[in-house]
Amino acid sequence: MIDFTNLNYLKSGSERQKRAYEVLEQYKVFEKLKTYSPVLAGTIPIGIDVESSDLDMICQVDLQFKEDFLDDIKSCKLIPADGDVTIENIIVHEENSIVLNFMLEEFKIEIFGQNKPSLQQNAYRHMLAEHRILQEKGEEFRHKIIELKKEGIKTEPAFGLLMNLENPYEDLLKF
């Protein structure tokens, strides 16, 4: 099993994973977000990314102090000076959340924060389940997921379609 809490696994992955590692290291993303227990989640770590896939950083953020979090992001110069950033305050599964989106090199970056440990957030838990399923079902299944994603279907619904899951966002958490 891959230790997804340590980015080193990216160094021996696909060309895109290796490039993601380089960019994350160059900009010291995880070092700058260290206070917030960042973890890379999503499709790039498990090799089912498509051209439009972003780098999803899951963080533990006490949203009572979200202005402090935003000040930290600004002061650590994580976002390039000439970069555009969007910030959204949203509710995901009845949890207050904050989402920042911006570009680093060729990668769309999404920082997602909730007031719960990063490893307990659904994005990370979904990724672990998806990784396990991909290991069990093999390359043909992986390619089917990627094809569905290229058609515009999001990751969890793609797994749901291929596995006949009624509610993939909830059902994947059972794996």
Side-chain angles (χ1 to χ4, degrees):
M1 188 68 158
I2 295 171
D3 178 5
F4 289 107
T5 64
N6 182 330
L7 293 178
N8 286 332
Y9 69 92
L10 294 172
K11 292 192 284 189
S12 61
S14 69
E15 290 307 310
R16 189 132 190 253
Q17 288 171 326
K18 290 174 187 173
R19 178 66 182 137
Y21 178 83
E22 289 171 9
V23 170
L24 293 170
E25 286 295 302
Q26 176 185 343
Y27 288 90
K28 300 182 182 346
V29 173
F30 279 72
E31 189 177 313
K32 291 176 179 178
L33 292 173
K34 186 178 180 180
T35 306
Y36 303 100
S37 306
V39 178
L40 183 64
T43 59
I44 292 174
I46 59 175
I48 55 170
D49 52 296
V50 295
E51 192 174 321
S52 61
S53 296
D54 55 10
L55 290 171
D56 297 310
M57 256 58 72
I58 307 303
C59 294
Q60 181 175 2
V61 178
D62 185 341
L63 294 174
Q64 290 182 17
F65 304 102
K66 73 178 168 193
E67 293 306 319
D68 293 341
F69 171 68
L70 294 171
D71 288 345
D72 285 351
I73 297 290
K74 190 175 182 180
S75 68
C76 77
K77 297 179 175 35
L78 178 58
I79 301 166
D82 61 347
D84 290 331
V85 62
T86 61
I87 301 168
E88 291 182 275
N89 294 293
I90 60 174
I91 297 176
V92 177
H93 299 291
E94 301 176 14
E95 299 264 354
N96 288 326
S97 309
I98 189 165
V99 182
L100 286 78
N101 287 285
F102 57 95
M103 295 291 294
L104 284 180
E105 305 286 330
E106 71 271 25
F107 288 101
K108 288 185 252 177
I109 304 292
E110 178 174 287
I111 298 175
F112 180 90
Q114 285 185 330
N115 191 19
K116 63 171 28 173
S118 303
L119 300 182
Q120 292 177 17
Q121 293 184 32
N122 283 351
Y124 182 74
R125 294 174 60 212
H126 283 157
M127 182 184 72
L128 291 181
E130 292 157 1
H131 176 68
R132 189 172 301 122
I133 292 164
L134 290 166
Q135 296 298 303
E136 290 172 8
K137 296 200 176 280
E139 282 305 304
E140 185 178 333
F141 184 85
R142 174 186 305 275
H143 289 294
K144 287 179 183 176
I145 292 288
I146 292 169
E147 287 307 311
L148 288 172
K149 291 183 61 52
K150 285 179 180 176
E151 293 173 17
I153 297 173
K154 296 244 182 229
T155 305
E156 288 81 359
F159 275 84
L161 280 172
L162 294 181
M163 296 176 66
N164 297 315
L165 302 177
E166 199 170 302
N167 182 347
Y169 290 96
E170 293 301 317
D171 294 343
L172 282 169
L173 297 176
K174 297 172 187 170
F175 279 87

